[in-house]
Amino acid sequence: IDGSERVANLVWNLSDLLRYTLRKTEQLIPLKEELEMINNYVAIQTARFGERLNVLIDVDSCLLDVPIPGLLLQPLVENSIIHGLESSKNKGIVKIRVVRQNQDIQVEISDNGVGFNPEAVN
């Protein structure tokens, strides 16, 4: 059936995402596992937004085994997509950047979305 492979891939992405959230939320996991989950999440959102969504991931490969809290990145990426890009007509770009900063790990999630009105924040 036309599109059945696409739907099957989305179901796999969703099932992997759900399994991940059920077992990884209260433990430290390697950054590479979190990024795999982000890729599943982005695949689902790409099915929704199509070519309007572009996610760029820039991670120093020496950091892939660094332990981080599970589900650290997904809510931030979701916020960028939903609040930054959903109402925009332009092509949305979400950037995920992870670098070592001295002894710390710096995580940066940014987007080119609509932003928010600081005056509207109480």
Side-chain angles (χ1 to χ4, degrees), residues 16-96:
D16 285 347
L17 182 64
L18 290 173
R19 276 192 299 277
Y20 180 87
T21 59
L22 290 173
R23 63 174 211 255
K24 299 292 184 177
T25 57
E26 296 182 11
Q27 57 182 300
L28 295 177
I29 60 162
L31 175 60
K32 64 183 166 195
E33 282 187 35
E34 182 80 355
L35 291 172
E36 289 169 8
M37 194 277 305
I38 290 297
N39 285 328
N40 287 329
Y41 177 76
V42 168
I44 294 166
Q45 291 296 353
T46 299
R48 178 179 175 201
F49 289 100
E51 292 183 13
R52 283 187 46 221
L53 176 61
N54 188 16
V55 177
L56 307 171
I57 300 175
D58 179 18
V59 177
D60 189 340
S61 62
C62 72
L63 300 175
L64 292 175
D65 291 321
V66 170
I68 64 169
L71 292 175
L72 175 70
L73 301 179
Q74 189 276 334
L76 300 172
V77 173
E78 179 178 3
N79 189 63
S80 284
I81 292 171
I82 302 302
H83 299 292
L85 307 176
E86 190 171 58
S87 62
S88 175
K89 303 285 187 233
N90 300 323
K91 182 173 185 169
I93 300 172
V94 176
K95 295 179 184 176
I96 303 168

